[in-house]
């Protein structure tokens, strides 16, 4: 099952930092790109089957550290 989520940030610099950090996450079928504009980052990945998947929690924590929030 795939998960698609978008995060918004107060500046392009923070969005870019988030984007580059998430590119190094260990998640199956991970895709990271700018979202609606250069203050948004869209992330998609495939849930791990048969075990707990902490990817979304890690994304939320990183976004919060960079003053971002989930928008979709």
């Amino acid at each position: 099952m795939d998960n698609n989520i978008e995060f918004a940030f107060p500046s392009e610099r923070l969005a870019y930092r988030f984007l580059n950090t998430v590119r190094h996450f260990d998640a199956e079928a991970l895709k990271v790109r700018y979202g609606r504009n250069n203050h948004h980052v869209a992330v998609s990945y495939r849930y791990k089957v048969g075990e707990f998947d902490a990817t979304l929690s890690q994304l939320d924590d990183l976004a919060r550290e960079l003053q971002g929030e989930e928008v979709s």
Side-chain angles (χ1 to χ4, degrees), residues 11-39:
S11 72
E12 179 182 3
R13 181 183 64 80
L14 292 170
Y16 184 73
R17 189 170 166 199
F18 179 82
L19 185 145
N20 281 320
T21 302
V22 172
R23 281 187 175 158
H24 299 286
F25 273 32
D26 182 25
E28 187 177 337
L30 178 67
K31 295 179 186 171
V32 185
R33 65 189 186 294
Y34 281 114
R36 297 175 205 163
N37 58 43
N38 60 7
H39 288 213

